[in-house]
Amino acid sequence: MRRWALISLCLTMAVLCNTACVGVAFDTIVNDNVSPTSAAFAWDGVSSHPDSMTVISTRTEKELHYRFGYKYENASAAGISDIVSFVRGEYYSVAVGYEKDMYSIPDLGSFLSDRSYPLSGLVARPRQVLDGSAGDLSVMEAQSLIWESMGFPVGLLSALDRHDSYWDDMAPETPAIESCGPLFVAENKSYIDPAEKTLLSFSPADITVQIDLSIPVVVKQGLNVDIECAFACLSGIPSYVTLMSQLMERKDLGKTYIPLSPDMSGKYVGTLRTLGLFSPDLPTFVGGPGILYLYFLTSRYENGEKIYHISQPIVRNLWSALGSSYTSLENKIMSRSSLSNQYYLNVSSYAIDLPVITISKIVEGDVKFEWEDGEEFEGTEPEEPEFN
């Protein structure tokens, strides 16, 4: 009878608190003379968080797994949530918050249904535009999805010439990860004892970085060329972060497309938010992490007809802008953990200011670009890169 009372209590609390109480060994609870007890969550800096948080907890002995959904509007003035039900014991907990659909925790279901699944194995993944395995999509279909994700008018893409209807994707097999929103994470270790009211205190902090790109662009005087739109593709984007440690690995990296728009000074600027950005392997590489590919959709009039052209990728290795993992452990955005082959984020924001790009000439219908330092791009395809 007592066993069924415990089951009923757990299910009731799951309904009232939007809680998943799973992996509970009820026979063990009864045999150990253990009964559920109450605890509450305490939050710092409530105003800077998303509307809701998810608390994921694991008991260290005879492991039990919990998930609690929490909305800040239900908190008291002191930032304390409603009381929730635990089984007595020591717990590790992690609180996670983000805007709807920006991230996913793909193995949360496995954690909740399997008591042997460790809390340390849970990761958060940002949303992807394409996962790198969309083999059934044509080039145009795949790039149309990317184009729309950047907010560009579909008509511009369809206006391109038949022989110039897509851009050269430098790593079509690499996941295209969207610029994401903030990801708030906090940890807690507490012993929940029925003899006293337990507060699980969290101070969630955003573990993403905002990267601002700035590229001055000049059209050589006398050239009949207009820039319709511009965008960048940046490689070396982490595809996941471990929730308990907030560490990332230099593998399964993705790329992010960033729309660029002109400001009043003639620079093309864009912003992305990401879990991090890894440095290039070497300063001479045109593939791998930490490489920026710029694309310009230009137009000009030829014999009274408006002609559109999308540039070959203008490649920039960001070795000097990001710092190399081979010359210093203290990179400008990411640093390597001293305890593992994993990396953590150094900063919450970072600006990448590039040299001037000049639209210098038109050769056989192709618009040519060159950097201020004199390197010219003739529209030939760079070496096919290998991504980590």
Side-chain angles (χ1 to χ4, degrees):
M1 191 70 180
R2 183 180 178 186
R3 176 182 177 180
W4 288 111
L6 286 172
I7 295 174
S8 176
L9 176 60
C10 188
L11 293 175
T12 300
M13 292 306 297
V15 172
L16 294 178
C17 299
N18 188 25
T19 303
C21 175
V22 294
V24 178
F26 289 104
D27 288 335
T28 301
I29 294 173
V30 173
N31 294 338
D32 287 353
N33 194 28
V34 176
S35 59
T37 186
S38 61
F41 303 136
W43 307 90
D44 296 329
V46 171
S47 61
S48 63
H49 302 158
D51 293 337
S52 62
M53 298 285 289
T54 297
V55 177
I56 307 167
S57 300
T58 181
R59 193 174 74 156
T60 58
E61 183 181 1
K62 295 178 181 176
E63 195 163 332
L64 308 178
H65 293 174
Y66 293 83
R67 178 190 63 198
F68 299 91
Y70 168 75
K71 292 186 178 297
Y72 281 118
E73 62 188 23
N74 297 331
S76 68
I80 299 175
S81 73
D82 296 334
I83 292 175
V84 294
S85 181
F86 281 92
V87 171
R88 182 181 64 195
E90 183 182 59
Y91 285 84
Y92 285 101
S93 301
V94 60
V96 187
Y98 49 84
E99 296 303 322
K100 183 179 179 181
D101 297 330
M102 279 287 181
Y103 297 87
S104 65
I105 307 174
D107 291 334
L108 182 57
S110 298
F111 169 82
L112 293 173
S113 61
D114 182 357
R115 288 198 298 160
S116 66
Y117 196 103
L119 181 61
S120 60
L122 290 179
V123 302
R125 293 184 178 273
R127 184 169 59 190
Q128 295 182 359
V129 184
L130 295 173
D131 64 6
S133 62
D136 293 335
L137 295 179
S138 67
V139 173
M140 275 300 294
E141 288 172 332
Q143 294 196 349
S144 291
L145 290 175
I146 295 170
W147 191 266
E148 292 178 32
S149 75
M150 291 188 289
F152 290 142
V154 177
L156 281 179
L157 189 62
S158 61
L160 292 169
D161 291 340
R162 180 171 58 87
H163 298 293
D164 195 23
S165 56
Y166 57 89
W167 61 87
D168 289 327
D169 191 336
M170 296 306 298
E173 76 289 349
T174 303
I177 299 171
E178 287 196 23
S179 178
C180 54
L183 176 63
F184 291 94
V185 177
E187 303 167 53
N188 177 277
K189 180 182 177 182
S190 296
Y191 187 87
I192 297 176
D193 191 336
E196 56 185 63
K197 183 177 180 180
T198 305
L199 279 179
L200 277 67
S201 298
F202 296 98
S203 300
D206 182 14
I207 61 169
T208 64
V209 57
Q210 177 176 306
I211 298 175
D212 298 308
L213 295 175
S214 176
I215 308 108
V217 181
V218 174
V219 179
K220 189 174 180 179
Q221 189 173 1
L223 282 185
N224 176 29
V225 175
D226 293 317
I227 298 174
E228 299 287 343
C229 62
F231 63 94
C233 177
L234 184 57
S235 65
I237 304 296
S239 61
Y240 63 90
V241 59
T242 302
L243 292 176
M244 280 293 290
S245 63
Q246 293 95 62
L247 291 175
M248 290 156 277
E249 294 182 283
R250 194 183 172 91
K251 66 179 185 179
D252 299 330
L253 301 179
K255 61 191 176 188
T256 294
Y257 287 91
I258 310 114
L260 304 174
S261 57
D263 65 8
M264 298 298 292
S265 66
K267 296 179 180 179
Y268 275 75
V269 297
T271 297
L272 72 149
R273 183 173 291 278
T274 173
L275 296 171
L277 176 60
F278 282 98
S279 302
D281 293 316
L282 287 172
T284 56
F285 281 12
V286 295
I291 307 298
L292 184 70
Y293 307 96
L294 298 173
Y295 299 84
F296 291 90
L297 176 61
T298 60
S299 66
R300 70 183 191 281
Y301 283 93
E302 188 174 294
N303 300 324
E305 180 184 3
K306 192 172 187 179
I307 305 297
Y308 292 88
H309 173 76
I310 196 162
S311 68
Q312 291 283 344
I314 303 170
V315 185
R316 193 78 184 189
N317 182 302
L318 298 180
W319 176 279
S320 60
L322 301 179
S324 163
S325 58
Y326 293 96
T327 59
S328 171
L329 290 179
E330 295 300 317
N331 295 338
K332 297 177 181 178
I333 293 182
M334 307 286 292
S335 286
R336 184 172 176 174
S337 169
S338 60
L339 301 177
S340 67
N341 192 28
Q342 295 178 306
Y343 295 76
Y344 58 88
L345 194 62
N346 278 335
V347 294
S348 59
S349 62
Y350 192 77
I352 299 176
D353 298 312
L354 296 177
V356 174
I357 290 178
T358 300
I359 299 179
S360 57
K361 55 189 173 181
I362 300 174
V363 178
E364 297 180 353
D366 288 339
V367 178
K368 304 300 180 182
F369 297 81
E370 63 181 37
W371 293 104
E372 186 180 41
D373 53 20
E375 185 175 359
E376 185 175 331
F377 296 88
E378 293 292 345
T380 56
E381 295 187 13
E383 177 185 349
E384 186 72 18
E386 294 181 3
F387 279 72
N388 289 341

